Amino acid sequence: MASISTFLRKTPVPALRAYFEVAAFNLAVKIDWEGEEADVVKPLLKAVNGMEDGEKARFLLDAERVCNLADEAGNTALLSVVQDQATFDTLEVGYACSLWVFLNERESFRKAEEVRYTDHRRHGRAWDGFVLAENCKVSTDPVALVAFTSAIRERFRTDNVQIDVFERQRLGHDDDMTKLIQVAIYREGRPGAALRFSDAGHLTRHVDKPVYEAALTYEPETGAIEVIADRKDTRIDLTRFMACDLLGQTFEEKRLPVLQYDLDRLLQPHDFERDFGDGIEAVTVTALRLVANDEVPDRFTLEKSALGDRTIWETAAHRFPGDDPLGGGWSVAHAKISVKFGPTATEPRGKTISLSITTPTGCNLKGLTAREQLIKEKYLHRWGLLADGELGDYDLEAVIEDA
């Protein structure tokens, strides 16, 4: 849950004023919006803490939604759907951007939440990717939408299904925007029971029907369909329904190629070459998990201390004189790499991205921000961390479980 003080202190006063004027809360303390920031935030914090329960609950819900899209990834999601990009580009990065869209483009804000939900789960346990024909038109014809919705109702035996089809963009590392069409799906699940306290304070059993969310994106330029859903069979069925009803295509379950990683290059000292204009100040290998190359695949992890100046390779040579495990007989199964970006106008302290890679296909980068895209699309190849070839029709779930 969002911190009240964090929301109030990190949001510019003009944006806070606009929010509280629109929300029309009954504040017990009069706020002098023309005063200094500290003279505004302190009484405002006191006023919010003194709200009656219903208004305070509404404020906390709004604050949590705004905070969830106030970081770099959240602002990127907002940028992908916002209508008034000219105004958006003039706003202070972070909370100001998030709150402005929340107040002025509520529908765009909701779509950005769906974008964040989808992109955060890319290449994870709930993800699959497939390939269809390029440059297909995603139909929004009422007949097609009814057929798509009906197929979902029949498949999951539920009457309550809601879909939302909208255009969005995905930011690349070179600031190019790729056009996507996203389909958000909400369906009602089977009833379940949970314990709740009644208004009188008595423990009761409450029957409720959960709502399950899923999402699909189609990239016309490449024909790629990516799907987010809780089960593998669900992902396949939803992709088939979209292909048939919204794209007019036959679904053949041709999977997107999946990147494979080869970390054995990190057994030796490695120079992480980078271009000056990309703003990367330093790249440091902080940990390696090694697997023995014999019948008994023993494992151990070598981790570099943050206090010393030794590299991971110098650490191994120092701690294992004459028997350095990086010298042979072991393979690298997992690596942690710290990528430090230099200061910018909006981030005077710079920013560090922690990269975690597990062979053969595990990587924590989701491409949520331009920096993550830069590392994943440009530098992993340049640094020699990608294996030759790609995985095609591959059981990604099994790979992730093994990782």
Side-chain angles (χ1 to χ4, degrees):
M1 179 173 290
S3 162
I4 296 176
S5 61
T6 298
F7 174 72
L8 297 180
R9 295 183 191 283
K10 290 191 175 183
T11 305
V13 169
L16 287 174
R17 181 176 186 175
Y19 168 72
F20 278 94
E21 288 177 350
V22 170
F25 293 121
N26 183 26
L27 299 179
V29 179
K30 183 175 176 58
I31 306 299
D32 179 12
W33 295 106
E34 303 299 330
E36 296 294 327
E37 182 175 338
D39 296 331
V40 173
V41 172
K42 187 174 180 179
L44 188 56
L45 180 59
K46 181 179 179 180
V48 169
N49 284 324
M51 283 179 175
E52 64 92 17
D53 290 346
E55 287 199 339
K56 189 173 183 179
R58 180 159 64 93
F59 167 79
L60 287 172
L61 179 60
D62 289 348
E64 184 170 16
R65 294 180 68 191
V66 170
C67 289
N68 284 341
L69 295 184
D71 60 4
E72 184 180 3
N75 277 198
T76 300
L78 291 165
L79 178 63
S80 74
V81 294
V82 70
Q83 298 297 306
D84 187 355
Q85 291 202 1
T87 299
F88 185 85
D89 289 341
T90 66
L91 299 171
E92 181 180 332
V93 173
Y95 285 76
C97 288
S98 183
L99 186 54
W100 184 87
V101 179
F102 182 81
L103 292 176
N104 296 279
E105 294 188 17
R106 192 61 64 93
E107 184 65 13
S108 296
F109 190 90
R110 185 184 60 78
K111 290 178 179 178
E113 290 176 313
E114 294 175 348
V115 169
R116 180 71 182 268
Y117 168 87
T118 302
D119 287 357
H120 183 70
R121 289 161 177 77
R122 291 185 75 203
H123 305 292
R125 297 176 186 276
W127 176 91
D128 259 317
F130 302 94
V131 179
L132 287 176
E134 300 172 3
N135 297 313
C136 293
K137 183 180 184 301
V138 179
S139 178
T140 55
D141 178 83
V143 175
L145 295 178
V146 167
F148 180 63
T149 304
S150 297
I152 297 173
R153 286 197 180 105
E154 182 177 350
R155 163 65 172 79
F156 297 101
R157 300 180 183 180
T158 179
D159 292 330
N160 293 321
V161 175
Q162 180 174 314
I163 63 172
D164 187 12
V165 182
F166 59 93
E167 289 191 8
R168 52 163 292 204
Q169 301 177 84
R170 180 173 287 148
L171 183 66
H173 70 81
D174 51 4
D175 290 333
D176 286 343
M177 302 295 278
T178 301
K179 177 184 175 182
L180 300 175
I181 293 87
Q182 179 156 328
V183 181
I185 302 169
Y186 301 90
R187 63 176 177 85
E188 190 174 64
R190 295 173 62 84
L195 293 176
R196 301 276 179 86
F197 281 101
S198 68
D199 293 339
H202 301 302
L203 195 62
T204 61
R205 187 171 295 276
H206 180 78
V207 178
D208 196 12
K209 292 183 179 180
V211 174
Y212 294 104
E213 183 175 356
L216 302 105
T217 61
Y218 173 69
E219 184 178 338
E221 186 176 340
T222 63
I225 284 188
E226 298 184 35
V227 54
I228 305 293
D230 56 349
R231 291 170 52 92
K232 184 176 182 179
D233 57 346
T234 298
R235 296 192 291 272
I236 291 174
D237 288 342
L238 291 178
T239 306
R240 180 179 293 107
F241 299 155
M242 181 175 178
C244 176
D245 298 322
L246 301 186
L247 294 170
Q249 299 290 313
T250 300
F251 179 50
E252 298 177 351
E253 294 191 33
K254 181 181 179 182
R255 295 185 179 272
L256 277 176
V258 178
L259 293 178
Q260 293 186 88
Y261 301 100
D262 183 354
L263 302 176
D264 283 351
R265 180 181 289 265
L266 300 180
L267 289 168
Q268 301 297 324
H270 187 57
D271 180 22
F272 292 91
E273 177 190 354
R274 60 258 189 198
D275 295 333
F276 176 79
D278 289 331
I280 300 177
E281 285 191 344
V283 182
T284 305
V285 179
T286 60
L288 296 174
R289 186 166 73 227
L290 306 179
V291 180
N293 297 330
D294 55 34
E295 294 180 358
V296 182
D298 294 324
R299 301 185 179 202
F300 79 93
T301 298
L302 181 66
E303 188 168 353
K304 174 189 176 301
S305 171
L307 300 179
D309 294 330
R310 295 191 186 100
T311 66
I312 195 83
W313 303 283
E314 292 169 343
T315 299
H318 175 73
R319 296 299 179 187
F320 302 95
D323 193 23
D324 185 347
L326 301 183
W330 298 82
S331 295
V332 181
H334 176 79
K336 290 184 179 180
I337 303 172
S338 173
V339 183
K340 182 181 180 182
F341 287 84
T344 64
T346 56
E347 291 176 323
R349 296 183 179 181
K351 184 177 179 65
T352 298
I353 292 179
S354 296
L355 174 61
S356 178
I357 302 176
T358 303
T359 59
T361 64
C363 181
N364 67 324
L365 294 185
K366 305 296 183 183
L368 296 178
T369 67
R371 287 181 178 130
E372 289 190 6
Q373 291 274 9
L374 176 71
I375 296 171
K376 192 164 188 178
E377 295 182 11
K378 179 178 181 179
Y379 282 108
L380 292 184
H381 174 72
R382 179 179 291 190
W383 294 338
L385 303 182
L386 297 182
D388 293 332
E390 295 174 317
L391 295 178
D393 192 0
Y394 201 84
D395 190 351
L396 185 61
E397 281 188 336
V399 171
I400 294 173
E401 291 292 342
D402 291 342

